[in-house]
């Protein structure tokens, strides 16, 4: 998570101050779900995204809206992989 946040120019303070479904949080959550075995519970707590069901809903919308094909997401994958 820290490496992804660094790539996106985010700090720990942003986790608390930004909205629960901030695009950058959803992008990191999607990356973590695709590349690790983290749970929605863990993501909700670590990224301050509210309830686990909200994480799931946000990830579904991200995927449906072709989020994984966004240039910024692809750059994050290249840098952190």
């Amino acid at each position: 998570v820290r490496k992804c946040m660094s790539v996106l120019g985010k700090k720990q303070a942003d986790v608390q101050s930004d909205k629960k479904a901030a695009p950058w949080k959803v992008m990191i959550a999607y990356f973590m779900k695709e590349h690790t075995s983290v749970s929605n519970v863990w993501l909700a707590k670590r990224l301050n995204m509210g309830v686990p069901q909200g994480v799931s809903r946000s990830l579904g919308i991200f995927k449906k809206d072709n989020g994984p094909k966004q240039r910024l997401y692809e750059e994050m994958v290249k840098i952190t992989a």
Side-chain angles (χ1 to χ4, degrees), residues 20-62:
K20 292 177 184 175
W24 70 268
K25 289 183 180 185
V26 177
M27 192 176 292
I28 290 174
Y30 187 84
F31 176 85
M32 295 298 293
K33 291 292 281 189
E34 289 292 305
H35 296 92
T36 70
S37 61
V38 298
S39 68
N40 286 348
V41 172
W42 187 88
L43 287 167
K45 289 179 184 176
R46 180 70 174 86
L47 294 172
N48 191 37
M49 293 181 75
V51 297
Q53 296 85 350
V55 173
S56 182
R57 182 174 48 254
S58 294
L59 295 177
I61 292 168
F62 181 77

Side-chain angles (χ1 to χ4, degrees), residues 66-81:
N66 287 320
K69 297 200 184 303
Q70 292 178 10
R71 185 178 52 85
L72 187 57
Y73 180 80
E74 290 176 343
E75 288 177 23
M76 185 178 69
V77 170
K78 286 179 192 173
I79 292 170
T80 57

